[in-house]
Amino acid sequence: MFRVAKCSDLIRMEQLWLHAVANSHPSLPRQFWLNHLDEFRNDCRRSSQCLVFTSRHSAVAEAFITLLDRRKIAHLCVSPLFTGRGIGTRLIAGVSRGKPQLQAQVFRENLRTRYFLQRHGFIETRRIYNAEYGQHQIQMSCDRVTP
């Protein structure tokens, strides 16, 4: 089931986010991401839209997507138990309705997310070196999301 996120989802969203970023960025230690947890929380608080996916057997969030400024994907995380089932695709479709463009930023080493976004019509528009992360941050844009 897909629904708008609630305040009670935040702890589970933090867990999903921490697992996703720690596994998608092998060059950065887990503590690095723990130090950025407040930034994640702030993104969630100021998001213009946040959708979660729950399985039919539980109300616990197993995936989520957050948008900032109505078009920038800030976070897209899917539990490992639910990857490969089209949930990320449906989350993108859910937030893209009525929007002429979506944007995302991905770090160079996060190949899985980069390829996922490319399969959905996102193209690289810019690369910026981020010294704190020690790698390029790739800005991607999509004028029409492909389901």
Side-chain angles (χ1 to χ4, degrees):
M1 176 176 100
F2 295 87
R3 62 171 171 76
V4 173
K6 304 173 189 173
C7 290
S8 59
D9 293 317
L10 185 58
I11 291 173
R12 176 62 176 155
M13 290 167 56
E14 289 175 1
Q15 293 168 343
L16 290 171
W17 172 79
L18 185 58
H19 178 81
V21 295
N23 286 306
S24 297
H25 303 91
S27 69
L28 299 168
R30 183 177 176 86
Q31 187 60 47
F32 176 89
W33 297 108
L34 287 169
N35 293 343
H36 285 80
L37 190 55
D38 283 339
E39 290 173 35
F40 170 78
R41 290 175 181 147
N42 287 334
D43 284 349
C44 290
R45 281 188 203 99
R46 64 186 183 97
S47 69
S48 56
Q49 189 173 8
C50 184
L51 297 179
V52 298
F53 163 80
T54 61
S55 73
R56 56 186 162 157
H57 303 296
S58 170
V60 174
E62 296 295 350
F64 70 93
I65 189 169
T66 57
L67 284 188
L68 296 175
D69 303 325
R70 302 194 46 82
R71 65 182 183 148
K72 180 184 171 196
I73 297 173
H75 307 284
L76 172 60
C77 301
V78 179
S79 164
L81 297 173
F82 290 89
T83 57
R85 298 184 187 188
I87 293 164
T89 298
R90 290 189 282 177
L91 285 168
I92 285 182
V95 298
S96 68
R97 286 188 196 105
K99 295 176 182 67
Q101 184 184 68
L102 286 179
Q103 298 175 344
Q105 289 187 357
V106 165
F107 286 102
R108 178 184 43 89
E109 72 182 349
N110 189 349
L111 296 177
R112 185 177 182 139
T113 300
R114 285 172 50 196
Y115 295 150
F116 173 82
L117 291 171
Q118 287 172 349
R119 283 194 315 270
H120 291 82
F122 285 77
I123 59 168
E124 182 177 330
T125 57
R126 190 171 163 195
R127 279 185 186 224
I128 301 170
Y129 186 75
N130 185 317
E132 179 186 9
Y133 291 76
Q135 59 186 295
H136 283 91
Q137 203 166 2
I138 301 170
Q139 295 180 357
M140 301 178 81
S141 179
C142 179
D143 291 334
R144 186 176 84 56
V145 175
T146 307

